[in-house]
Amino acid sequence: MTARLINGAEVAAQIREELKGRVKACIARGVTPMLNVVLVGEDPASISYVTSKAKGAEEVGMREETVRLPANTAEAELLKVIDGMNRDAKVHGILVQLPLPASIGEKKVLDHILPSKDVDGFHPMNVGKLLIGEPDFMPCTPHGVQQLLVRSGNNPEGKHVVICGRSNIVGKPLAAILVQKKKGANATVTMCHTGTRDVSKYTLQADILVAAMGVPKAITADMVRPGTVVIDVGVNRIVDPSRKTGFRLVGDVDFDAVKEKASFITPVPGGVGPMTVTMLLVNTVRAAERKAGVVSAD
Ligand code: GUN
């Protein structure tokens, strides 16, 4: 059996169409949703992410402004930039692109963003709200994974979801999202990590397997039961001299082999990636809707 592809670009386009109407409703009430992005330094992957965020915002009719700062920017300077955005009533969402240069304290910076403008969902207040089942802004990648599952006909309700990876950006919040007693969630969740003995023992019991450990092709075919839904969150650059860029992207799943066992699988690129940016736009529109007095659709 060859798996059916879950096309992230298609699902993302569908959500962006929905967002266009929500943006128009905000504008009709005098509020144009506005996202501010901060990029420190010139990491090529970060530049590429920031560019796609700006393009996505423009596509749905929002305003977007990217502030680019040199890599040697002092932490205090960055905090001042965030202060300005926190105070600016026209700004609804603030995102500081990670990773930051080593000289800047990541936690200090993320904690400095007002929770009401934290469209990344990384502020401890938003993390805590998610954990107690009162989510406000949910982190974009795991929220995107949930939407991909639901909208591809693979609702996680009652399913056993095995997540490989316990990062604060993906693994942990995804577990928190999928165990909620809510529609589109209500799953049984197992989390595997570097301390797990015999990872295969768990992955072979998964109805839905999520790979988010940041290790190229770590999930091999022998770790997957026939019929599993496989979601690959990994984005790894590996050297490929045959490409103009000199690299290509591979996921955390050995795609060619695993697709022969899975029922559904996300490709890399074109799977989870387009969803992350889209869920950022969703969060920004939510923040603007709150300002405009519109009841959110999500
Ligand atoms: N760098 C890689 N992924 C992300 C993300 O989701 N948000 C931010 N702010 N930076 C990132």
Side-chain angles (χ1 to χ4, degrees), residues 219-240:
I219 300 292
T220 48
D222 58 305
M223 298 169 78
V224 179
R225 197 163 52 97
T228 308
V229 176
V230 178
I231 305 291
D232 191 351
V233 184
V235 185
N236 308 290
R237 285 183 174 210
I238 62 167
V239 174
D240 184 348

Side-chain angles (χ1 to χ4, degrees), residues 55-113:
K55 266 175 59 183
E58 188 190 350
E59 186 193 324
V60 301
M62 288 169 36
R63 288 180 64 204
E64 191 275 348
E65 211 173 276
T66 301
V67 174
R68 291 166 190 260
L69 301 171
N72 63 359
T73 300
E75 184 182 279
E77 189 58 36
L78 176 56
L79 295 179
K80 256 199 261 171
V81 170
I82 295 169
D83 277 334
M85 295 171 175
N86 280 341
R87 276 197 299 267
D88 187 342
K90 294 189 298 301
V91 175
H92 306 102
I94 302 170
L95 178 140
V96 177
Q97 185 65 34
L98 304 177
L100 287 166
S103 57
I104 298 180
E106 190 172 291
K107 183 170 161 37
K108 194 161 179 190
V109 168
L110 295 180
D111 289 2
H112 206 69
I113 297 171

